[in-house]
């Protein structure tokens, strides 16, 4: 069973930076892609950043140029560096991976418990 653990969230003033980390454990056969989503109360889950199997990143329009997604496959870690944070970036951030857990199975989605990011003015 794939398990994800986010860390690095916290409180920061507008204009500051944070780096989120996601530890991926449990093992999997193949990665279809992985990324970060965020959600605020009463709102839909929003894509923040995603990295595809070939390493191509994708970013939500609101974070382009400010956030950077990266991964360390050797350490089974996913990261997201967030710069120039804005108050509207306040949310719970979730690490999500789309992986084939075992040979012969289809890609499945796994999500972590989330980490709170609060940006104050």
């Amino acid at each position: 069973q794939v398990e994800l653990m986010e860390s690095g969230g916290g409180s920061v003033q507008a204009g500051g930076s944070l780096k989120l980390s996601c530890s991926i454990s449990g093992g999997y056969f193949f990665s279809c892609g992985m990324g970060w989503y965020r959600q605020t109360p009463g709102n839909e889950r929003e894509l923040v950043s995603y990295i595809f199997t070939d390493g191509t990143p994708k970013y939500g329009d609101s974070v382009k140029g400010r956030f950077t997604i990266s991964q360390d496959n050797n350490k089974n870690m996913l990261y997201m560096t967030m710069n120039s944070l804005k108050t509207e970036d306040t949310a719970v951030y979730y690490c999500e991976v789309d992986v084939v857990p075992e040979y012969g199975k289809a890609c499945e989605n796994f999500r972590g418990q989330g980490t709170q990011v609060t940006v104050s003015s």
Side-chain angles (χ1 to χ4, degrees), residues 18-109:
L18 285 173
K19 184 176 183 178
L20 303 184
S21 300
C22 176
S23 172
I24 306 165
S25 62
Y28 54 87
F29 179 71
F30 181 78
S31 170
C32 304
M34 51 187 69
W36 295 92
Y37 292 77
R38 67 187 182 189
Q39 192 167 20
T40 53
N43 291 312
E44 294 285 325
R45 168 173 154 266
E46 176 190 6
L47 169 70
V48 181
S49 64
Y50 195 85
I51 189 163
F52 294 92
T53 303
D54 64 358
T56 303
K58 176 181 178 179
Y59 296 96
D61 289 340
S62 62
V63 307
K64 284 180 181 176
R66 300 188 297 121
F67 292 10
T68 303
I69 189 171
S70 61
Q71 64 186 47
D72 185 334
N73 291 327
N74 290 332
K75 296 182 179 179
N76 283 332
M77 295 291 295
L78 181 69
Y79 305 100
M80 183 168 67
T81 301
M82 306 185 294
N83 296 321
S84 302
L85 282 161
K86 304 176 180 180
T87 55
E88 52 262 44
D89 293 320
T90 296
V92 178
Y93 285 72
Y94 297 90
C95 171
E96 294 195 22
V97 300
D98 300 304
V99 298
V100 176
E102 298 176 14
Y103 176 78
K105 291 194 173 183
C107 214
E108 296 180 22
N109 178 266

